[in-house]
């Protein structure tokens, strides 16, 4: 059952769960991130009886969330609604939104990562679904599904409700730097396939100056259907199976059924959408994956007894071949920049005029998150492979990258350089004996050619600095070479929270996203994406979910 608050706010017509405890569902979807929300919405739209289980609670005001800054009290806005509070996700003393049993940043509440992320939103190019990036040929015609996503969730590169852009100095300075390097300006989502020597204003999935994403769209329509039931604060431990046949899911809530098990209808199906770190863990805990991981589960006092007998373990490369963008921060100063107090005041003490403007009409600086400009360039490697670089520009800088030498803190901005599609480095996701999900092998620069390209890309950005009067690179400082900076970069800072590939299509799931050697277990989230998309992944994940759910509905044998 939804929280009382949410019931009061949403037109909640879904079945009341307490009246149906132990009753079976056609589809049980695990996890309310972008993958799970789109799957649950489309399945309920098709008339299936759907249960969506989410371990976290509400976040945006519309869904029953209440946690917001004092300055927005009474305005029906939470931290998760106000885009300008994005940087405070990392500086808050009460960060209840991060998953407490995953070692890297992951959002554990309604919306998953899309509720805590920067909302950068890219319409996927064809290369994101090409056979060269690991997709089966049956997936390459993605436009139908990408169009469905765009119809539900538009992008904007001017998120303030007055249509104006704010705090754009870092975008202007960077554009001058890129102009002398042969880049051209584009509206990024108007030409998704142009990803070489282009730059443009950052595009977001914000709506009317507030966080939009799949919660404000897909969840809303699903929640209005009688065939859809949403249960939050419910932790899924494992699927219950008899060999290849899944019969239900085991949760931590015994009010949902005997031993917390929610059953499936006879032809029912389970869809795991718990994300790139948590979906593998549910598989391990269900006896699916490499035996070293399942043996960790077997030795756990609580989880071990829920495993199927060893003869029923299913050996698949769950967790292998994972990737995430390596990324390097460069910090600059320029006299034209307004560093916006490095976002340090927006929670407790925002600039009064900006707070007033935002409260009045969701306009102004706080209607956007910190990112202002993005750019892309393709690089050929000595191995004959092409790798795509993405740059992201924002005022301010992460505290650990602030220069040690004297500098004007009011004038700092950051360019982050990422490598995406085409990189060959891979890592491995697993669990440890505490059942914490974590990278066992970190995926950044395991192939030295990726690092060579990164050094080249960072050098390219740094070479033309003197063409822009007043522009100064402050991190790395002037006694550190770019190569040394990249080579000595702290591993803990290299990642980008963009994990894909831990249940890659073709390796763990088939072209219908069904887990190999099972009858009725599916995965629909970032983990099935075989290779990094060209940009931040949520648009690609959502298009993937649209296509996956269409294939699942079309697959014979289901409910
Ligand atoms: C700080 C940060 C910033 C980011 N910025 C951007 C950005 O600007 N643009 C972009 O495109 N991408 C960004 N990303 C990445 C993007 O948000 C993720 O790639 C995306 O959310 C992954 O979607 P998913 O459906 O695979 O899983 P998730 O979004 O992780 O959702 C999984 C859901 O499953 C739930 N769950 C997990 N385990 C269980 C369980 N056992 N039982 C029940 N429920 C469970 C979780 O609570 C969560 O709600 C960012 C990510 C982070 C962390
Ligand atoms: C906030 O929500 C409440 C309850 O829905 C409503 O009565 C009130 O008018 C809203 N306030 C604002 C400022 O939107
Ligand atoms: C189940 O786990 C969730 C998430 O950890 C928690 O909020 C909830 O209280 C738990 N439920 C029960 C019945 O213990
Ligand atoms: C990892 O990916 C490589 C390249 O695509 C492939 O050859 C290999 O079989 C994969 N390994 C696993 C365990 O899936
Ligand atoms: C320059 O950076 C290097 C590497 O971080 C550091 O060791 C050195 O102290 C810095 N020099 C100055 C003058 O800040
Ligand atoms: C630092 O930058 C701010 C903003 O550009 C400017 O007003 C101030 O004068 C600068 N301080 C110094 C010491 O140059
Ligand atoms: C598992 O990893 C987490 C996060 O790194 C750590 O806190 C915990 O101590 C680890 N547990 C074991 C048994 O290693
Ligand atoms: C290097 O930076 C220091 C501190 O900012 C500055 O004093 C010095 O002049 C710079 N050296 C060169 C060669 O630019
Ligand atoms: C980062 O990790 C790699 C691979 O795990 C390791 O070889 C390297 O020494 C680490 N670098 C630092 C600076 O810790
Ligand atoms: C499986 C299921 O519950 N189907 C129901 C979905 O909702 C329609 C009405 O909206 C019912 O007619 C179906 O029985």
């Amino acid at each position: 059952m939804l929280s009382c608050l949410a019931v009061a706010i949403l037109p909640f017509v879904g079945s009341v769960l307490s009246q149906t405890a132990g009753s079976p569902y056609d589809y049980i979807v695990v996890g309310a991130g972008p993958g799970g929300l789109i799957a649950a919405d489309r399945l309920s739209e098709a008339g299936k009886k759907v249960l969506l289980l989410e371990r976290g609670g509400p976040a945006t005001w519309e869904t029953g969330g209440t946690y917001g800054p004092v300055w927005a009290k009474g305005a029906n806005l939470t931290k998760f609604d106000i885009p300008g509070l994005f940087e405070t996700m990392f500086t808050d003393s009460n960060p209840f939104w991060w998953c407490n049993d995953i070692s890297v940043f992951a959002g554990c509440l309604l919306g998953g990562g899309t509720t805590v992320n920067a909302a950068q939103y890219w319409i996927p190019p064809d290369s994101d679904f090409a056979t060269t990036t690991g997709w089966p040929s049956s997936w390459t015609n993605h436009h139908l599904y990408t169009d469905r996503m765009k119809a539900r969730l538009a992008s904007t590169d001017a998120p303030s409700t007055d249509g104006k852009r704010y705090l754009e100095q870092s975008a202007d300075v960077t554009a001058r730097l890129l102009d002398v390097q042969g880049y051209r300006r584009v509206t990024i989502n108007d030409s998704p396939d142009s990803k070489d020597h282009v730059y443009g204003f950052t595009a977001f999935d914000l709506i009317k100056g507030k966080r939009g994403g799949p919660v404000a769209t897909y969840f809303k329509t699903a929640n209005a259907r009688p065939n859809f039931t949403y249960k939050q604060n419910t932790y899924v431990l494992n699927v219950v199976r008899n060999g290849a046949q899944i019969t239900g899911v085991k949760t931590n809530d015994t009010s949902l059924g005997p031993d917390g098990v929610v059953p499936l209808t006879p032809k029912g199906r389970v869809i795991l959408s718990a994300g790139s770190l948590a979906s593998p863990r549910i598989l391990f805990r269900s006896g699916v994956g490499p035996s070293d991981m399942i043996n960790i589960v077997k030795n756990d006092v609580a989880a071990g007894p829920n495993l199927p007998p060893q003869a029923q373990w299913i050996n698949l490369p769950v967790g292998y071949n994972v990737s995430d963008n390596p990324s390097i921060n460069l910090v600059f100063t320029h006299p034209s920049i307004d560093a916006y107090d490095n976002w340090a005041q927006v929670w407790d003490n925002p600039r009064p005029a900006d707070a007033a403007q935002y409260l009045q009409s969701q306009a102004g600086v706080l209607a956007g998150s910190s990112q202002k400009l993005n750019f892309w360039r393709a690089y050929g490697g000595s191995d004959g492979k092409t790798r795509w670089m993405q740059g992201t520009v924002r005022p301010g800088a992460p505290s650990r990258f602030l220069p040690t030498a004297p500098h004007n803190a009011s004038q700092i901005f950051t360019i982050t350089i990422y490598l995406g599609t085409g990189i060959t480095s891979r890592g491995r996701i697993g669990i440890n004996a505490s059942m914490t999900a974590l990278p066992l092998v970190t995926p950044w620069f395991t192939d030295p050619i990726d690092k060579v390209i990164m050094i080249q890309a960072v050098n390219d950005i740094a070479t033309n600095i003197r063409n822009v009067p007043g522009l100064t690179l402050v991190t790395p400082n002037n006694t550190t070479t770019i190569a040394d900076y990249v080579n000595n970069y702290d591993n803990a800072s290299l990642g980008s929270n963009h994990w894909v590939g831990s249940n890659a299509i073709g390796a763990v799931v088939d072209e219908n996203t069904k887990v190999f050697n099972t009858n009725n277990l599916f995965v629909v989230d970032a983990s099935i994406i075989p290779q990094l998309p060209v940009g931040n992944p949520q648009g690609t994940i959502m298009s993937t979910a649209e296509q996956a759910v269409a294939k699942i509905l079309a697959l014979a044998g289901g409910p």
Side-chain angles (χ1 to χ4, degrees):
M1 199 166 55
L2 281 167
S3 76
C4 294
L5 189 50
V7 171
I9 290 167
L10 291 173
F12 181 67
V13 288
S15 58
V16 176
L17 209 107
S18 57
Q19 292 171 355
T20 59
S23 81
Y25 288 85
D26 294 333
Y27 283 91
I28 300 173
V29 180
V30 179
L37 288 171
I38 291 174
D41 182 53
R42 294 301 187 189
L43 292 167
S44 61
E45 180 184 50
K48 311 302 175 188
K49 189 179 172 192
V50 177
L51 173 65
L52 175 61
L53 296 171
E54 165 57 45
R55 64 184 278 186
T60 56
W61 179 269
E62 194 182 29
T63 60
T66 56
Y67 182 64
V70 169
W71 60 264
K73 206 171 163 53
N76 298 357
L77 293 164
T78 71
K79 182 185 191 80
F80 310 99
D81 288 297
I82 305 172
L85 295 178
F86 168 68
E87 296 294 340
T88 74
M89 297 293 173
F90 308 97
T91 54
D92 196 303
S93 58
N94 175 32
F96 61 88
W97 47 92
W98 302 126
C99 308
N100 60 9
D101 56 9
I102 295 179
S103 76
V104 295
F105 285 125
C108 267
L109 70 193
L110 174 55
T114 65
T115 291
V116 299
N117 72 19
Q120 296 172 91
Y121 176 48
W122 311 121
I123 304 306
D126 290 345
S127 61
D128 279 3
F129 291 100
T131 53
T132 49
T133 47
W135 290 95
S137 56
S138 57
W139 277 74
T140 54
N141 186 18
H142 72 99
H143 286 280
L144 172 62
Y145 310 100
T146 297
D147 287 348
R148 286 181 188 171
M149 172 189 82
K150 282 158 59 178
R152 294 300 308 277
L153 185 54
S155 80
T156 176
D157 63 5
S160 173
T161 53
D162 59 9
K164 297 181 187 159
R165 295 198 179 84
Y166 291 82
L167 205 67
E168 297 293 348
Q169 304 89 351
S170 59
D172 296 341
V173 171
T174 306
R176 289 162 66 189
L177 188 62
L178 298 174
D179 283 338
V180 292
Q181 296 181 24
Y183 283 70
R184 66 193 165 90
R185 182 184 284 276
V186 294
T187 299
I188 294 165
N189 280 341
D190 284 355
S191 48
D193 289 319
S194 301
K195 287 292 185 296
D196 188 15
H197 285 90
V198 295
Y199 67 85
F201 291 118
T202 305
F204 302 97
D205 61 346
L206 302 171
I207 300 174
K208 293 184 179 161
K210 296 197 285 185
R211 188 175 295 276
V215 174
T217 51
Y218 291 95
F219 179 68
K220 202 171 192 167
T221 47
N223 211 20
R225 289 191 192 103
N227 287 345
F228 174 83
T229 302
Y230 175 61
K231 183 79 175 89
Q232 57 193 352
N233 299 314
T234 303
Y235 194 102
V236 170
L237 299 162
N238 55 272
V239 302
V240 182
R241 65 185 176 90
N242 181 9
Q245 188 69 20
I246 316 305
T247 57
V249 304
K250 186 172 170 68
T251 73
N252 69 339
D253 187 348
T254 52
S255 76
L256 298 184
D259 294 325
V261 174
V262 188
L264 287 174
T265 55
K267 291 177 167 180
R269 292 166 168 170
V270 170
I271 297 180
L272 300 181
S273 302
S276 288
L277 284 101
S279 283
R281 174 169 48 199
I282 295 170
L283 288 170
F284 303 147
R285 295 184 66 147
S286 308
V288 180
S291 59
D292 58 349
M293 293 295 109
I294 305 177
N295 273 314
I296 293 175
V297 177
K298 188 181 171 188
N299 291 329
D300 184 79
V301 178
N306 295 327
L307 277 176
Q310 188 148 359
Q312 293 188 12
W313 292 5
I314 297 171
N315 181 20
L316 289 171
V318 176
Y320 282 98
N321 269 352
V322 77
S323 43
D324 175 42
N325 309 88
S327 61
I328 298 283
N329 286 313
L330 303 174
V331 182
F332 299 84
T333 59
H334 187 272
S336 71
I337 298 291
D338 176 355
Y340 213 63
D341 313 306
N342 205 12
W343 305 91
Q345 307 297 321
V346 290
W347 180 260
D348 287 320
N349 188 22
R351 295 184 188 177
D354 290 349
Q357 184 186 15
Y358 186 76
L359 290 176
Q360 211 228 327
S361 57
Q362 285 79 63
V365 173
L366 298 170
S369 37
S370 52
Q371 292 73 18
K372 300 298 166 194
L373 188 95
N374 302 85
F375 56 92
W376 279 269
R377 179 169 169 177
Y379 282 93
S382 60
D383 55 2
K385 293 177 176 151
T386 302
R387 292 160 176 82
W388 273 262
M389 176 273 282
Q390 177 190 344
T392 297
V393 181
R394 69 165 181 97
S399 55
R400 79 177 81 160
F401 291 92
L402 293 173
T404 48
H407 66 286
N408 189 335
S410 302
Q411 298 181 346
I412 54 172
F413 74 100
T414 303
I415 300 180
T416 306
I417 303 293
Y418 304 77
L419 292 186
T421 302
I423 62 167
T424 41
S425 295
R426 296 290 184 272
R428 185 185 177 194
I429 293 296
I431 52 173
N432 69 13
S434 314
M435 296 291 124
T436 296
L438 76 176
L440 300 173
V441 177
T442 57
W444 314 292
F445 300 145
T446 57
D447 181 346
I449 300 177
D450 288 340
K451 188 183 274 188
V452 168
I453 300 291
M454 177 63 93
I455 291 169
Q456 186 182 345
V458 174
N459 262 319
D460 284 342
I461 291 304
T463 36
N464 290 85
I465 289 170
R466 65 180 172 281
N467 290 68
V468 181
L471 182 61
T472 308
L473 179 65
V474 291
T475 303
N477 65 29
N478 64 11
T479 65
T480 308
T481 66
I482 297 291
D484 283 349
Y485 184 60
V486 173
N487 281 323
N488 297 322
Y489 211 78
D490 174 16
N491 281 338
S493 300
L494 266 181
S496 303
N497 310 306
H498 295 161
W499 305 87
V500 299
S502 51
N503 295 309
I505 198 160
V508 174
V509 299
D510 69 14
E511 62 183 339
N512 294 305
T513 75
K514 186 167 68 68
V515 176
F516 283 116
N517 301 322
T518 71
N519 297 336
N520 55 341
L521 179 59
F522 297 79
V523 183
V524 179
D525 60 22
S527 70
I528 67 174
I529 296 177
Q531 198 182 133
L532 283 169
V534 81
N536 314 60
Q538 66 173 351
T540 307
I541 295 166
M542 292 185 235
S543 177
T544 296
E546 284 279 14
Q547 185 160 184
V549 72
K551 286 179 158 55
I552 292 168
L553 279 166
L555 184 65

